Amino acid sequence: MDNLPSEIIRKIILSLIVKSRWFPQINEHCPVTPLARYAVISRQWQSIVESITFRHLILNSTRLDVAQRENYLSPLRLSYIRYIWYDFEFPAHNLIISTNPEEDYDDQLVFNKSAKQLFSVLSQIPPRPEPVVGLEIFITPPKKFALRLLRNETKRSVERFQVLCGTVTPMFVELFKDWEADIGDIPAIHYFRVEPGSASILFSPSSINRFASKMTRLSKLEWWLTDEEFIEPYDEMSQRTKHLPSGECIAQFTLGGSGVYIYDQNILNRFAIAAGICAARMPKIEELNIINHGRSQIGICFNTKSEDVPCLEFAGKPAMPELSEETVEVWKRAIKTHGLDWNVHITDNLDKVYHFY
C-alpha cells in the first residue's frame, strides 16, 4: 500500500465515504462515514486520513478533554482544521452525576472553563497567510427536558414551551472578567457563527462580543436569533406573540387592529448596539449580519467592502426601523474605526435592500 502515490490513496479514501453532511458555512461536505480504521494501514494512510478527519470537527468539553489527554491535537493535525462546531454542555441540566458538584453544577463556571479550553486550542492553530477556519458555537437543549416526552414532543419543544409559559426562567451565561488570561489572539478564524439552540441557557450578547474580539482576522460573523410562536390554545381571542429564547417578544400580534406582527424597536436597538460595539473591535471584519426571519423581520447588516452602496443597513418589516441615539452613536464610532463614510440605508421595503437576506 505504501508504494501507491499519495494522490491515489486519497482518491481511494474519498471513495470510501458513502455519507457526508453539507456545511454551507464553508461550502464543503463533511464525511459522516467513519474513516479512522483506515489510518492503521500505514503511516502514509494515517497522514491522509487525518487530513480529512481533522478537517471538520464536532466538539464539546468531553471530547476536548480526551483529545488533550491523549495528545491528539498536534500542530500538524490542528493545521488540517477548516471547521469546528462546538456544543457547550452543562452537567447540571443534562442528568449527569458529578463527583465535584460545586464546580460541575455551577453553570457560569462550566461555561467559562469550556470557553477557555476551546479558545486555548483555537489559539494554537498554526497561522496561515489567510485565515481558513470557520467556528460555530451552540448550546443543545438540556437532556432534562427529554424526560417523559409525549407523542410528537421533543426536548426542544418542551423546553421552549416551559420558557414561554414562565415555568423555566432563561439564564444568560457570561464570561468572567479574566476568562482570556493566558490566551493569545486567534488569527485562524475567518467565519464565526452563533446558532440558536437552547431556550433556557443563552449566550449573553457581551460574551459573543468578547469571543469575536479575540478573532483578529475575522471577516464574517453570523448571529442568528430565534423566532418562536406561542399560541394559547384555550383562548380564541388570545394574543399571538413572537419570542426570543429569553421569552421576550420580538413582535406581537393581536386579532384586532391592523392584524399584522409588529416587532419591538427596543429589541432591534439593543442588538444593533451590541453589533456596533462588536464591529468596532474587529478591524479585519468584512461582513456582520444579525437577522431575524419570521412574520416580522429585522436585519442589521454591516459590510466593509460595500464600495458604492451603503455600508450599513437596517431593515424591518412591517415597520421602518427607528434607531435610538445610542445606536447611531455606537455605529458612527464603528464606521469611523473602519475608515468608512456614514452611508446608512434604513428601510421597510425588503424588495429594495443591499445586504439583508
Side-chain angles (χ1 to χ4, degrees):
M1 285 291 187
D2 278 342
N3 295 327
L4 292 174
S6 297
E7 295 80 3
I8 300 297
I9 296 176
R10 177 172 289 274
K11 287 184 178 180
I12 293 173
I13 295 172
L14 292 176
S15 70
L16 296 171
I17 300 173
V18 296
K19 186 178 181 181
S20 64
R21 180 168 51 244
W22 175 248
F23 281 83
Q25 298 88 347
I26 57 172
N27 199 34
E28 288 189 12
H29 282 276
C30 170
V32 175
T33 304
L35 298 174
R37 57 184 171 179
Y38 302 111
V40 302
I41 293 176
S42 71
R43 289 284 187 182
Q44 188 180 19
W45 277 67
Q46 178 184 357
S47 176
I48 296 172
V49 167
E50 289 181 352
S51 71
I52 298 171
T53 57
F54 276 85
R55 194 173 180 88
H56 313 94
L57 299 180
I58 297 177
L59 299 174
N60 53 37
S61 60
T62 302
R63 290 183 175 185
L64 266 187
D65 283 341
V66 173
Q68 291 179 316
R69 185 171 61 248
E70 300 296 331
N71 295 316
Y72 291 154
L73 303 177
S74 66
L76 178 60
R77 288 166 175 164
L78 289 173
S79 72
Y80 296 144
I81 296 175
R82 294 296 179 271
Y83 177 78
I84 295 175
W85 190 90
Y86 188 89
D87 185 6
F88 283 87
E89 296 182 318
F90 296 87
H93 304 270
N94 282 329
L95 311 178
I96 296 175
I97 298 175
S98 171
T99 57
N100 188 13
E102 290 187 0
E103 292 188 8
D104 292 342
Y105 293 167
D106 183 329
D107 295 326
Q108 300 295 344
L109 181 59
V110 167
F111 173 63
N112 276 267
K113 288 175 64 177
S114 297
K116 189 175 182 69
Q117 181 187 37
L118 171 62
F119 275 69
S120 294
V121 170
L122 295 176
S123 68
Q124 297 170 31
I125 297 176
R128 291 174 174 267
E130 295 294 332
V132 295
V133 179
L135 172 66
E136 183 171 346
I137 61 174
F138 189 83
I139 300 176
T140 299
K143 293 179 181 178
K144 67 181 182 181
F145 294 106
L147 296 175
R148 296 184 295 276
L149 292 177
L150 300 177
R151 185 178 180 182
N152 297 326
E153 284 187 335
T154 65
K155 64 178 180 179
R156 186 185 184 109
S157 67
V158 170
E159 179 194 33
R160 292 189 182 280
F161 183 80
Q162 292 189 20
V163 167
L164 296 176
C165 289
T167 308
V168 173
T169 301
M171 172 194 66
F172 287 87
V173 285
E174 294 270 4
L175 291 172
F176 297 152
K177 184 177 181 180
D178 60 347
W179 81 277
E180 59 183 342
D182 304 323
I183 300 177
D185 288 336
I186 302 173
I189 305 295
H190 76 94
Y191 172 81
F192 179 35
R193 177 184 174 98
V194 183
E195 180 77 12
S198 173
S200 61
I201 308 174
L202 312 166
F203 298 112
S204 69
S206 63
S207 294
I208 301 305
N209 288 344
R210 295 172 72 186
F211 280 154
S213 68
K214 297 293 293 180
M215 306 171 193
T216 53
R217 295 197 291 175
L218 184 67
S219 61
K220 185 174 182 179
L221 166 63
E222 288 190 10
W223 186 353
W224 287 85
L225 311 179
T226 60
D227 192 10
E228 293 296 319
E229 181 176 19
F230 171 61
I231 304 176
E232 173 57 57
Y234 306 110
D235 185 356
E236 293 182 357
M237 299 303 292
S238 67
Q239 292 182 330
R240 296 181 178 184
T241 56
K242 309 293 284 185
H243 291 78
L244 287 170
S246 61
E248 295 174 276
C249 298
I250 293 178
Q252 186 166 293
F253 177 87
T254 58
L255 296 180
S258 59
V260 295
Y261 285 85
I262 303 294
Y263 62 85
D264 190 326
Q265 297 280 357
N266 291 328
I267 289 178
L268 168 68
N269 277 284
R270 199 171 76 209
F271 278 96
I273 290 168
I277 294 172
C278 187
R281 295 176 179 176
M282 296 186 291
K284 300 294 185 180
I285 194 169
E286 295 181 358
E287 183 178 350
L288 186 156
N289 301 302
I290 299 180
I291 294 172
N292 172 72
H293 286 300
R295 295 186 182 179
S296 66
Q297 301 195 60
I298 305 171
I300 304 164
C301 305
F302 180 54
N303 192 306
T304 62
K305 303 296 183 181
S306 54
E307 297 182 352
D308 296 331
V309 301
C311 63
L312 179 61
E313 182 170 65
F314 295 92
K317 185 179 180 180
M320 181 80 74
E322 299 174 3
L323 307 186
S324 68
E325 291 183 4
E326 184 179 3
T327 297
V328 172
E329 289 303 315
V330 165
W331 272 105
K332 281 184 176 180
R333 289 195 294 270
I335 288 175
K336 184 178 180 180
T337 298
H338 289 273
L340 301 172
D341 294 328
W342 178 254
N343 188 359
V344 181
H345 183 230
I346 304 174
T347 184
D348 59 356
N349 185 348
L350 301 188
D351 293 326
K352 295 182 178 180
V353 293
Y354 295 98
H355 308 295
F356 180 82
Y357 60 91

